[in-house]
Each structure stands twice: as C-alpha cells, then as structure tokens.
Amino acid sequence: MFSGWPAIEASDREPVDAVFWWLVRLRWVAVLGVALVLGLAGPVLHALPSDSGPWLWTTAGGLLAYNALLALLGPRRGWPWLTRFTGQIAIDCVALATLIHFGGGVDNPFLPLFVLHVVNANIVLSRRAALGVLGFACALASAVVLAEGTGVLAHHCLRPAGVLCAGGALDARTLGTLGGLVLTLVAASLFTRFLTVRLRTGQRKLSDALVALTVEKQRLADTHAAIDTERARLQAIIDCMGDAVIFMDPDGQALFANQRARELWRTEASSSRVEPFDTMLQEFAKTGTASAFERRGRLFEATRSAVLNAQGQTLGLVIVVRDVTDRLTIERYLMREEQLSVVGRLAATVAHEINNPIGVVSLYSQHALSKLPPDSPVYQHLQTIRRSAERCRAIVGGLLKLARQPHPERRQVDLHQVCREVVDEIRPLAAHAGVQASSGSQAGDSPAWVQADPDMLHQAVLNLAVNAIEASDGGTDITVGVCENDSGSVLAHAIEVRDTGPGIATDDIARIFQPFFTTKTTGTGLGLSVADNIVKSHGGRIEVESIMGAGTIFRIVLSEEPPSVSTHDPADRRSSVLAGEVRA
C-alpha cells in the first residue's frame, strides 16, 4: 500500500498525508526525548564529555529545525528528497548515528534505537526500500563502532574519568555488541515485515469486505426502496377499491383495513378514530354466518377467504365487504316491473272476460230501474246491483290503466348517455354474477341524437342488459354501446347489448319476446317482452344475432333524427323510478 510513495495518485493522498504527519509527530517526541536526555546527562549528571556537548546540541537543534521545516512545508510541498519517507528515515538514522557517536559510541544505551527506524521503514516503505534502510542502519552502526574501534573517529566516553569507557578498541565486547545489534536489526526487520504483510493483507481483505458491504448496503437500500414503492402502490390500489377489505389474524384481531373499511367503521364523533369491528363481523370471520348486514342505511354483503403461506399454514383471513344496496334496488325494480306486467296481462284478461258481462248487468239493471217506481223494494235491490257492477268496471279500468304503457314523451336523447347510465346501474349486478360490464361504441364519440322517451328507452336497454347478465356465466363480458345500422337506404343509430354467454338456440329466438317465455330456472319471461313493446312504441325494432357457445347480440334499431331547437336540454338526465327508489 505504501510502496512507491512519490508515484502515489492524488486519490490516494489521504493515507500518504496521514503517514507523513505520523512521522512528524513521532519526530517531535524524539526531539523532546533527546533534549531531555542531553539536559539530564549534561548539566544535571555531568555524564557528557566536555568536547561532545556542542556537537550533540547542534545535532539535536538540526533535527528540530528539519522537523519544523517539514511541518511548515507539509507533505505536498518542498523538495522530494527532503519530504519523502525514505529521506526522512535516512536523515533520522544519520542524526541518531551522530548522537550515538558523540554520546559514547558503543557504550551509549540508545544504540538499539536503530531498531525503531528499521521498524518504521518496514511499516511505511516498500520491501526494497525497507531493505535499503536496514542496510543503511547496519552500515551506520557498524561505521560508528568500527571507526571508533580502529581510531578513525575519536571515541567520546560517557564519563570524563573514563568509567565505563570501553569502546576505544575492537575487543570481543565491542564486536559482540555490534553483532547483536545487527542481528537485532535484521530480526526486527523480518518480524516487522511479516506483521506488516499480514496487516496489509488483512487491511486489503477488510477494504474489499467494506466495498462489498457498501455495494450490498446499496443493493439492500435499492431493494428496500423498491419494496416500499411496491407496498405503496399496492396500498394505493387497495385503498382505491370500492369494497371494504379487512385482514384479520387467526385470533380475530383486525390487522389491516383499507380506506373504504376505515370510512365504513369510522366513528361519527371523531373522524380520525376507527371503531372496533363489530361483533357480527368477528362472528362471520369465525363461522362464516351472517354474511349480509345493514350499516348506516346501506346493505352490505361480506365474503371471506383464508390467507395461506407457502407451507399451507393459515396466516389470517381476508374479509371483503361489498355494498349491494344498488344491486338489490335494481333487483327489486325489475321484480316490480315483472309483477306489473303480470298484473297487466291479468287485467287485460279480466277486462276481456268480465267487462262484457258487467256491461250487460249494468245495462239491464238500469233498464229495469226505469220501469220501477223509486219506492219499490225491488228498485233498491236493482240500485245495489247497478252500483256493484259499476264498481267492478272501475276496478278493471284501474288495473288496465296501471298496466298500460304510457305514450312516449319524445325529446332529444343521446344514445351514448343512455348506454353509460345503463352500464353504471348494472355494474353491481354484473360484479355479483362474475360478469364484466363495460360501455363501448362503434359509432365514434359524437352524440347520437334520436327523438325518444329517455325513461322508456332506458328501461328497454336495462331489461336487455339484465337479461344478458342472468343468461351469462361467470367470467364472461357484457358490452353496451352505440353502433350504426344500415337499414336499406336509411342510416340509423342502434344500441347493441353484446354478451359472451352460452347463446340462444335457433328454435327459441322466435319465441323469446313472447310474454312468460323463459329458458331460465327463475324469472317470469316478461323482460324481453316489455323491452320489445317499448321499442315498438317508438317505431323501432329489436334484432337478435346469436351463436351457441359464442354469445348473443341484441340490437335496438331507432331511426336517426337530426337535432333541432328544443326547450329540453339534451344533457338532462332521466328521473327514473329506480332513481326514486334509491333516493327513498
């Protein structure tokens, strides 16, 4: 890591700067230690030779000035030979050799301090540079000891009296001290290099591990962000559902509720607090009973489903609560329409069978009354008979008036608007039957104006759509839309009700508009008959196309009428009996 310091890139300057200031601080400690030793050994203990004192203080001062210069220049300025680590350690070794020479030579107890510089070299330098420092340190130590022993350099004893002054000759002690120092330097270099290599290998592994952990941390952060995004998306989807969704744990405690559920069970006193789910819903979660209930004036239907993990263990229960008020209203409305149709048929039959005899009874009673005096007892009986006959005629007339279709009140109607309103009304019924209901037009989005009674036309389309839902299986589609029908030389608008159900048999198509004819297990068979009567009252017709197993198309064909100035707003919405029931 620290090899080749002069060639280190700018991106790697931080460890270089750290090592530089570490050496500078370490040198400040060394300078302070030298100053303390010289101060104690000279003026206090008088152990320094008189002729070596100036040299020692000069060396210490030079080392102080050099370190101050390094501290002033910093690691990125100055001369390379002055600030590079190899130069610093070499200068420190020269200063140590000078201090040892003038401080007693081989007798100086600080002679092993060369080990410190060798250790520093193996820590901060490359292997080749560290070996160079080792050789340089060994050479300096050997030069001091051998030069003093051979008389090339003067030997400065530690004490003026010559006590402990044994470094003036190359005896066995001197050579042994020198040999021990060299072996110590070599051993310290090898051991430090071994530890440094191990530490740097561990440092590289740690650095790689940190990089891997950083990458993994970023990956986990990205994954967590993606999970949060997906969770927020799913939460938004569930909150946008019109049905209330509640998740309960196996103990029956509600752990999750979407926006619709929170609104449904929100207290009126505090709009921010949600009521505990009532006993009925908890009982339904445990037993599955009481799936329909009423709350705040609306009717709801609840379904439940167990949530299982990959091992098949039950994690909880999902309860879906659906508002079925509109669906039940539509069902009641259609049932009422069928009942009215039955009443109409019954009234027509009664009128045909009873009106004539009642007329005869009334006529003859009036004729008899004209022949009798008012005070005759028979006269009173005949009056009772006449009144009863008139009452019967009034009852039959009332039934006929109730069952008879009113005359269409024509005004401008946009068929697209009629189709959209019908789809909006049948969606709850279609969803309950597992059928997808939608509006789609093949005649563009421009208004398709016709002159018709909007309420009666709406009822006809609604009857066809409901009939398609009841005849379809779950998973099928129903489309209500506007198309153009080419009827000879006249281009007419038509309303199509398409389904992908089982279809109608060819033999039954000719009979489906007959009253009381039905292929379903339930129903009266009056819906298509009522729709056919309404369309015919407008001068139109209903066309049927069906393929067994592929679906059926009911097409209401109405002549196109150009728009004209009218006191009625074309965007007026109908005020149907169904809307009245919902408001009620």
Side-chain angles (χ1 to χ4, degrees), residues 157-393:
C157 295
L158 288 178
R159 293 180 180 274
V163 180
L164 298 178
C165 186
L170 290 176
D171 52 9
R173 175 178 173 275
T174 301
L175 295 176
T177 301
L178 179 60
L181 176 61
V182 172
L183 290 177
T184 302
L185 292 178
V186 173
S189 177
L190 294 176
F191 183 69
T192 305
R193 173 57 52 180
F194 171 76
L195 292 180
T196 302
V197 170
R198 293 291 297 272
L199 289 175
R200 289 178 181 174
T201 302
Q203 185 182 21
R204 283 194 295 271
K205 292 181 179 180
L206 180 60
S207 178
D208 295 341
L210 289 176
V211 172
L213 286 176
T214 302
V215 173
E216 183 66 17
K217 179 181 178 181
Q218 184 61 39
R219 189 186 68 82
L220 290 176
D222 295 341
T223 303
H224 190 270
I227 292 174
D228 288 343
T229 302
E230 190 65 23
R231 182 185 294 113
R233 183 183 296 112
L234 292 176
Q235 181 69 39
I237 292 173
I238 295 176
D239 281 341
C240 288
M241 294 177 60
D243 299 337
V245 180
I246 305 105
F247 175 71
M248 291 185 170
D249 62 11
D251 296 331
Q253 298 297 321
L255 302 180
F256 171 82
N258 68 344
Q259 181 66 26
R260 178 58 177 152
R262 293 192 295 270
E263 293 174 354
L264 188 59
W265 272 272
R266 197 179 303 279
T267 61
E268 297 179 357
S270 175
S271 60
S272 61
R273 186 170 61 88
V274 177
E275 295 177 349
F277 294 102
D278 52 32
T279 307
M280 186 281 301
L281 198 58
Q282 292 184 354
E283 183 66 23
F284 170 69
K286 296 178 181 179
T287 63
T289 59
S291 60
F293 61 95
E294 182 178 0
R295 188 174 184 85
R296 298 185 181 178
R298 305 286 292 181
L299 296 176
F300 295 89
E301 182 180 68
T303 59
R304 67 175 190 168
S305 178
V307 179
L308 306 178
N309 59 12
Q311 290 74 32
Q313 299 174 341
T314 301
L315 301 179
L317 200 66
V318 170
I319 298 178
V320 179
V321 180
R322 179 167 300 167
D323 189 341
V324 295
T325 306
D326 296 337
R327 188 196 75 193
L328 296 178
T329 302
I330 292 176
E331 291 177 353
R332 286 195 298 266
Y333 169 71
L334 296 178
M335 185 180 298
R336 179 185 175 187
E337 290 295 314
E338 293 180 356
Q339 291 172 350
L340 290 176
S341 179
V342 172
V343 170
R345 296 291 179 179
L346 179 60
T349 303
V350 170
H352 181 270
E353 299 295 335
I354 298 180
N355 263 349
N356 290 336
I358 289 179
V360 173
V361 172
S362 178
L363 178 63
Y364 277 94
S365 62
Q366 291 180 10
H367 182 70
L369 285 172
S370 64
K371 301 296 183 179
L372 294 176
D375 57 350
S376 173
V378 179
Y379 184 89
Q380 299 299 326
H381 295 304
L382 289 175
Q383 282 281 26
T384 302
I385 293 173
R386 187 187 64 81
R387 286 194 301 268
S388 298
E390 293 297 330
R391 188 178 297 111
C392 288
R393 177 176 293 180

Side-chain angles (χ1 to χ4, degrees), residues 91-103 114 140-141 144 148:
I91 291 174
D92 291 342
C93 288
V94 172
L96 179 61
T98 303
L99 293 173
I100 289 176
H101 169 64
F102 289 103
F114 279 106
L140 284 177
V144 170
E148 290 182 358

Side-chain angles (χ1 to χ4, degrees), residues 327 423 425-437 469 476 478:
R327 188 196 75 193
V423 171
E425 290 191 15
I426 66 172
R427 275 203 176 103
L429 183 61
H432 180 71
V435 177
Q436 178 68 34
I469 292 174
T476 57
I478 291 178

Side-chain angles (χ1 to χ4, degrees), residues 414-416 444-449 493 560:
D414 182 11
L415 299 184
H416 293 287
D445 296 328
S446 59
W449 301 108
H493 283 304
E560 183 179 24

Side-chain angles (χ1 to χ4, degrees), residues 415 442-443 446-450 482-495 541 543 555-562:
L415 299 184
Q442 304 175 8
S446 59
W449 301 108
V450 295
V482 180
C483 67
E484 292 181 352
N485 184 72
D486 188 5
S487 178
S489 60
V490 180
L491 183 63
H493 283 304
I495 296 179
R541 67 185 184 278
E543 299 175 352
R555 188 178 297 110
I556 299 176
V557 181
L558 299 173
S559 298
E560 183 179 24
E561 295 287 343

Side-chain angles (χ1 to χ4, degrees), residues 8 11 69-70 77 82 90 99 121 164 297 302 304 311 328 345 356 368 404-405 416-417 459 511 518 526:
I8 289 181
S11 60
L69 180 63
L70 291 181
R77 295 189 298 172
L82 188 66
L99 293 173
L164 298 178
R304 67 175 190 168
Q311 290 74 32
L328 296 178
R345 296 291 179 179
N356 290 336
R404 186 181 297 118
Q405 288 286 352
H416 293 287
Q417 181 69 18
Q459 181 182 354
R511 305 166 55 194
T518 180
L526 294 173

